């Protein structure tokens, strides 16, 4: 077919020139050429002789969608996926993308607030660890216990729970390499908790430990099957002797029991949590939502993804504090009131972890369950 023939064929098939299509889609020809180069929107026909691009009028909606998705900062590879979906699925993807953006912003906000507190506290340095007895600074220590149970349904144990004199950790692995991932994440933190850590250095030490955990998980799952679908959550506390450093990613949780009240000190990196935060779901709806297990962030095999770094934070401790770390095998099936009753009632960490694992078992034990309980005591 000669060039005139191709032009006629283009016209018959409702194809339009790039100039006409730019007008239809309200985008510039330059933007359209860029989308073509990026593989986001291919012309319906490219003249093999002169290279002219022709578009189908029906592509105008897709072109506008590409432009809007670029405006909300969606990565190019995601845009290509989303434009291939039907409207309902595309809406779900955009919601998930935005939830991730907000979770990352929230983590940065918390880190910024922590840094302000940390630097202000240094500025106004006073004796903060006096126990009020006039005998000088109190020496604090922790008593701890850890317990992991596969539950009644899952064929394998992919949770890891660990408690030592300077490290408390739970990790909930998923995918074919889940057990390796959770073990690697916890092991990677152990060197950071080997010796005394200066409270001033703690944040840097935690950040390095968090990066080590991310790299260790990546390496551990890369060797196994479906590395892209394997990974783990990680919630850990590193004890310095006066403060606790928190490392957290995913939907395992940390709580502190203080003054008779159980307070959650971690934020779930899940789609439903972000929907509760923005008011589009209630707590009750989130608890039964079909996608309630969907994580926005985790340590995973495909660690190139942005936003897969754990959050790190410092937490001041008081004698008498009792900490609980647990995987969703406990928190998803036992409500917080029942958790609080069990944590308050236990006479020590050993009893507490046994009672908590038993509660998950009473609820059917649908998932692996792991928990760590630690008491802060004056020595
Ligand atoms: Mg789990």
């Amino acid at each position: 077919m000669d060039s005139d023939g191709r032009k006629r064929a283009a016209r018959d098939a409702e194809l339009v020139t790039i100039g006409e299509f730019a007008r239809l889609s309200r985008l510039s020809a330059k933007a359209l050429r860029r989308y073509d180069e990026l593989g986001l929107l291919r012309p319906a026909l490219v003249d093999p002789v002169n290279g002219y691009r022709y578009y189908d009028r029906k592509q105008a909606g897709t072109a506008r969608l590409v432009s809007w998705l670029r405006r909300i900062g969606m990565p190019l590879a995601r845009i290509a996926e989303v434009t291939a979906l039907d409207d309902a699925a595309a809406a779900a993807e955009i919601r998930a993308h935005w939830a991730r953006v907000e979770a990352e912003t929230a983590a940065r906000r918390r880190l910024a607030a922590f840094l302000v507190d940390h630097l202000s506290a240094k500025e106004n340095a006073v004796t903060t660890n006096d126990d009020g007895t006039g005998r000088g600074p109190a020496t604090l220590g922790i008593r701890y216990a850890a317990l992991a149970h596969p539950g009644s349904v899952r064929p394998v144990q992919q949770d890891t729970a660990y408690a030592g004199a300077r490290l408390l950790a739970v990790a909930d692995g998923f995918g074919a390499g889940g057990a390796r991932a959770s073990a690697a994440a916890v092991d990677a933190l152990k060197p950071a908790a080997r010796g005394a850590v200066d409270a001033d250095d703690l944040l840097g030490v935690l950040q390095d430990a968090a990066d080590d955990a991310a790299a260790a998980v990546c390496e551990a799952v890369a060797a196994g099957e479906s590395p892209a679908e394997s990974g783990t959550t990680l919630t850990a506390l590193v004890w310095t002797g006066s403060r606790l450093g928190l490392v957290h990613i995913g939907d395992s949780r940390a709580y502190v029991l203080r003054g008779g009240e159980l307070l959650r000190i971690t934020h779930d990196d899940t789609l439903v949590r972000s929907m509760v935060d923005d008011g589009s779901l209630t707590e009750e709806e989130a608890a039964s939502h079909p996608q309630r297990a969907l994580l926005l962030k985790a340590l995973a095999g495909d660690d190139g993804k942005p936003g897969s770094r754990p959050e790190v934070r410092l937490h001041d401790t008081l004698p008498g504090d009792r900490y609980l770390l647990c995987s969703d095998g406990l928190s998803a099936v036992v409500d917080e009131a029942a958790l609080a009753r069990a944590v308050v009632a236990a006479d020590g960490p050993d009893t507490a972890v046994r009672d908590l694992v038993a509660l998950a078992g009473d609820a059917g034990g649908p998932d692996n369950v792991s928990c760590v309980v630690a008491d802060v005591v004056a020595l």
Side-chain angles (χ1 to χ4, degrees):
M1 204 190 295
D2 62 12
S3 176
D4 284 348
R6 274 192 294 276
K7 271 188 203 155
R8 266 197 309 279
R11 221 170 28 236
D12 293 347
E14 291 266 316
L15 299 189
V16 296
T17 62
I18 189 166
E20 174 67 4
F21 188 69
R23 198 186 57 73
L24 276 176
S25 60
R26 293 188 214 93
L27 295 167
S28 67
K30 188 176 162 203
L32 291 169
R33 279 193 290 272
R34 180 103 179 102
Y35 295 174
D36 183 12
E37 284 155 19
L38 295 171
L40 297 176
L41 184 72
R42 297 287 192 204
L45 180 79
V46 179
D47 190 309
V49 175
N50 56 25
Y52 289 171
R53 294 163 164 93
Y54 294 93
Y55 290 84
D56 189 320
R57 290 169 179 279
K58 291 197 281 290
Q59 290 179 286
T62 309
R64 281 195 293 269
L65 180 58
V66 168
S67 146
W68 289 329
L69 293 176
R70 281 174 61 79
R71 228 180 284 172
I72 63 170
M74 186 177 278
L76 297 177
R78 274 319 268 302
I79 293 179
E81 286 165 21
V82 169
T83 53
L85 299 172
D86 64 37
D87 287 356
E93 277 299 306
I94 294 167
R95 178 186 279 287
H97 163 73
W98 197 249
R100 236 173 252 129
V101 170
E102 292 196 330
E104 282 161 35
T105 306
R108 282 191 218 154
R109 186 193 312 127
R110 288 192 293 272
L111 181 57
F114 159 74
L115 287 170
V116 169
D117 282 356
H118 179 62
L119 296 171
S120 313
K122 266 168 81 175
E123 183 71 11
N124 312 317
V126 289
T127 311
T128 52
N129 52 348
D130 192 293
D131 64 0
T133 60
R135 283 182 276 122
T139 311
L140 300 179
I142 54 172
R143 301 201 200 293
Y144 48 84
L147 188 59
H149 191 279
S152 323
V153 176
R154 299 286 174 97
V156 288
Q157 172 62 291
Q158 296 189 305
D159 277 13
T160 298
Y162 176 85
R166 293 182 184 275
L167 176 66
L168 312 167
V170 298
D172 178 351
F174 54 85
R180 278 197 305 277
S182 67
V186 173
D187 278 345
L189 296 182
K190 288 178 186 170
R194 202 155 276 154
V197 180
D198 182 74
D200 257 3
D201 269 353
L202 183 58
L203 196 63
V205 169
L206 289 176
Q207 191 62 70
D208 289 348
D211 290 346
D212 289 349
V217 169
C218 216
E219 199 174 306
V221 302
E225 304 157 53
S226 27
E229 279 104 56
S230 296
T232 185
T233 72
L234 177 64
T235 299
L237 291 167
V238 176
W239 172 247
T240 65
S242 61
R243 305 181 94 181
L244 282 163
L246 173 73
V247 176
H248 171 74
I249 187 166
D251 67 348
S252 299
R253 290 179 176 178
Y255 294 88
V256 59
L257 177 71
R258 184 179 287 176
E261 248 194 290
L262 190 70
L263 305 167
R264 195 197 307 171
I265 58 172
T266 51
H267 190 270
D268 292 349
D269 295 317
T270 57
L271 178 65
V272 292
R273 172 50 47 190
S274 68
M275 290 168 76
V276 170
D277 292 346
D278 73 16
S280 53
L281 272 189
T282 64
E283 294 280 356
E284 296 69 41
E285 287 163 345
S288 59
H289 194 280
Q291 284 181 297
R292 61 187 175 278
L294 187 69
L295 295 176
L296 293 179
K297 295 203 291 180
L299 299 178
D302 50 353
D303 190 47
K305 270 194 311 199
S308 56
R309 280 185 113 187
E311 172 191 358
V312 300
R313 193 149 44 93
L314 298 193
H315 191 80
D316 277 313
T317 53
L318 295 173
D321 281 350
R322 172 169 282 180
Y323 287 86
L324 163 66
L325 275 56
C326 66
S327 64
D328 69 338
L330 179 65
S331 55
V333 295
V334 179
D335 67 39
E336 286 191 351
L339 272 189
R341 280 194 299 276
V343 173
V344 169
D347 59 9
D350 284 307
T351 327
V353 293
R354 275 202 304 273
D355 292 352
L356 290 165
V357 168
L359 279 180
D362 294 345
D367 191 4
N368 300 156
V369 54
S370 51
C371 58
V372 170
V373 171
D375 287 345
V376 177
V377 293
L379 298 177

